[in-house]
Amino acid sequence: MSMDLPEKGRPWEELRQEMEAMRSRDLDWRHGRHGAYVWYADDGLEHVLREAYGMFLVENGLGLWAFPSIGRMEREVLAMVQGLLSGDEQTASVFTSGGTESIFVAMFAAREWARATRPDVTTAEIVAAQSAHPAVSKAAHLLGMRVRRVPVAPDHRADPVALEAAVGPETVALYASAPSYSLGLIDPVEAIGAVAERRGLWLHVDACVGGILAPFVRRLGRTVPAFDFAVPGVTSISADLHKSGYAAKPASTINFRTKEHREFARYSMDDWPSGTYSSLTFTGTRPGGAIAAAWAAMQFLGQEGYEHIAGASMRARDAIARGLETIPGVRVFGEPELWAFAFGAEDVDMHQVSGLMGKRGWMCGPTTQPRGIHVMCTPVHEGIAGEYVAAVAECLAELRAGSTGEALAARYN
Ligand SMILES: Cc1ncc(COP(=O)(O)O)c(C=O)c1O
């Protein structure tokens, strides 16, 4: 389809109205109808993000020498993230556009590290649990690497014994999730770290979902197993600011145990007409607004604000999970530590439940292994927990009474 630009520009007010109308059928995230994609805490934080993003809308994080303000905010954001991930003076980080880029940069660094230290390797391989996010497979595909996925343990977490058994002569990296996207379970990073140390492998921890907020869940007195640089074998950690950091998109971090590890992610060249190009990201131009909004979010919330978000998200999780388990036959998969989980019932096709929930305005992402529904709680879900559980109960009752619902196709995007 091709489309002409309007002959003459149109007034903003008219456009604004048209855009408002366009969004009328979008997911109602302000009222917690979402099970993924959106991390919204409240209007106060949203206002700060808009203002901060707008202030630096035009600036470009590619040219930090021209924008020392962006450089300072980026350094401070990364230093705060390092603090949350048990980093030290050696830790070195990069601000990226999202989890996919952070994981790409980590896998690129692991490949280059292997090229430098393991010249015998021809196709560098990453061993990951079946539950690993597709971003690692995408990175491997783009980088000419290979991912070997191994089944999860009966508790649905990565199985360190199976991971080790899959290590072969081409393996350069292990991969763990904290938590996994689909079932919200934190892999046993300490045990996987021990394998990585024993076998001399790079260990990447995908803490895209949990990295920023999990430390605050721990501070609430809940048990969150070690998954960060406190675990000796961990080499790199991806932690998204635009997820549980409650910053504006696109914003994530990739954190390396040492500056030497981070250097493996550098791409430099100067054989073109404008001198040295040296970069640690996949992207070139980087939105100044996203860096500014991340800095503003972290300063505005502070530790107290994140603890508050963690508390509300966990209360939402508890209310929804406990409510669901009062419905006969419904169970939560595994024992999730954070605000994300999935649930199912054996006698009903949960994807038909997703379909019926969709008709009622709820976005319920399906899971396939096992077949169920994914839930990602945020503070706004606290207020709708009862409504959500009641809607699931109604949909299940409808299907159990014999009505045939249309199954929602299992898709992530
Ligand atoms: C565990 C995990 N890793 C990686 C990603 C990819 O992050 P992004 O969508 O920001 O690229 C996601 C996204 O949901 C995720 O849940």
Side-chain angles (χ1 to χ4, degrees):
M1 180 186 105
S2 79
M3 182 171 159
D4 289 334
L5 281 166
E7 190 103 349
K8 289 203 165 92
R10 298 165 56 195
W12 165 239
E13 187 45 35
E14 187 184 311
L15 301 177
R16 200 188 58 73
Q17 284 176 23
E18 189 175 331
M19 290 160 82
E20 281 298 345
M22 278 191 233
R23 65 162 26 163
S24 65
R25 288 178 52 240
D26 286 358
L27 182 67
D28 181 8
W29 47 266
R30 271 186 207 284
H31 301 103
R33 262 49 187 169
H34 53 297
Y37 304 139
V38 170
W39 300 78
Y40 164 71
D42 59 39
D43 291 352
L45 177 60
E46 189 194 347
H47 175 73
V48 170
L49 295 177
R50 279 183 199 283
E51 291 275 313
Y53 209 113
M55 270 179 81
F56 289 87
L57 183 75
V58 179
E59 280 78 355
N60 189 341
L62 176 66
L64 291 183
W65 56 275
F67 306 114
S69 55
I70 303 278
R72 176 185 149 187
M73 289 187 278
E74 179 170 63
R75 278 194 305 280
E76 292 187 5
V77 166
L78 295 176
M80 288 185 277
V81 172
Q82 290 170 6
L84 294 174
L85 298 176
S86 309
D88 58 21
E89 288 308 304
Q90 281 302 306
T91 317
S93 308
V94 183
F95 193 109
T96 72
S97 63
T100 302
E101 187 186 4
S102 289
I103 292 165
F104 176 88
V105 170
M107 293 303 101
F108 173 52
R111 191 194 73 178
E112 295 304 290
W113 167 77
R115 279 189 178 164
T117 56
R118 304 253 311 267
D120 52 303
V121 171
T122 49
T123 304
E125 186 180 79
I126 306 147
V127 174
Q130 178 64 14
S131 52
H133 189 275
V136 65
S137 298
K138 183 174 180 177
H141 177 71
L142 296 173
L143 290 163
M145 299 170 81
R146 192 167 41 220
V147 179
R148 189 181 287 242
R149 286 180 182 256
V150 303
V152 291
D155 65 358
H156 305 289
R157 300 176 203 276
D159 177 351
V161 175
L163 290 179
E164 184 161 21
V167 171
E170 301 278 283
T171 306
V172 303
L174 298 177
Y175 193 91
S177 304
S180 59
Y181 174 78
S182 310
L183 304 195
L185 298 164
I186 299 181
D187 288 337
V189 175
E190 279 182 319
I192 299 170
V195 176
E197 284 201 295
R198 198 161 52 238
R199 307 295 291 253
L201 300 169
W202 185 291
L203 170 56
H204 178 73
V205 176
D206 174 357
C208 285
V209 169
I212 310 293
L213 201 60
F216 296 98
V217 173
R218 195 179 281 134
R219 282 193 205 178
L220 296 174
R222 299 191 184 231
T223 305
V224 177
F227 66 86
D228 61 17
F229 290 120
V231 179
V234 172
T235 319
S236 56
I237 306 174
S238 46
D240 290 0
L241 297 158
H242 67 201
K243 293 194 175 77
S244 68
Y246 284 81
K249 301 170 184 71
S252 168
T253 64
I254 176 64
N255 306 273
F256 296 91
R257 182 169 286 280
T258 69
K259 294 183 178 49
E260 289 72 33
H261 287 109
R262 187 181 63 179
E263 271 314 293
F264 286 110
R266 188 175 295 284
Y267 176 76
S268 304
M269 64 85 81
D270 56 13
D271 184 17
W272 76 310
S274 280
T276 302
Y277 176 97
S278 182
S279 149
L280 289 162
T281 51
F282 183 83
T283 55
T285 285
R286 299 184 309 131
I291 295 168
W295 184 88
M298 294 176 97
Q299 296 293 332
F300 179 73
L301 288 170
Q303 301 186 28
E304 197 184 20
Y306 280 114
E307 251 177 59
H308 181 76
I309 290 178
S313 306
M314 293 307 290
R315 285 193 299 276
R317 196 284 306 262
D318 290 346
I320 295 179
R322 283 195 200 123
L324 288 169
E325 289 196 319
T326 63
I327 306 171
V330 172
R331 66 188 175 92
V332 168
F333 302 135
E335 290 175 22
E337 299 89 349
L338 302 175
W339 49 85
F341 68 95
F343 66 96
E346 274 173 16
D347 62 317
V348 176
D349 178 4
M350 293 309 290
H351 296 186
Q352 289 190 10
V353 177
S354 290
L356 288 179
M357 287 290 281
K359 292 209 169 100
R360 289 167 159 79
W362 299 93
M363 181 234 139
C364 290
T367 61
T368 56
Q369 301 169 0
R371 217 168 155 86
I373 290 179
H374 172 254
V375 186
M376 185 78 88
C377 295
T378 66
V380 282
H381 291 93
E382 195 181 0
I384 56 82
E387 252 184 283
Y388 181 86
V389 172
V392 172
E394 272 172 36
C395 295
L396 274 165
E398 250 184 63
L399 292 168
R400 282 175 174 157
S403 88
T404 45
E406 201 180 312
L408 187 71
R411 58 181 300 179
Y412 168 73
N413 61 357

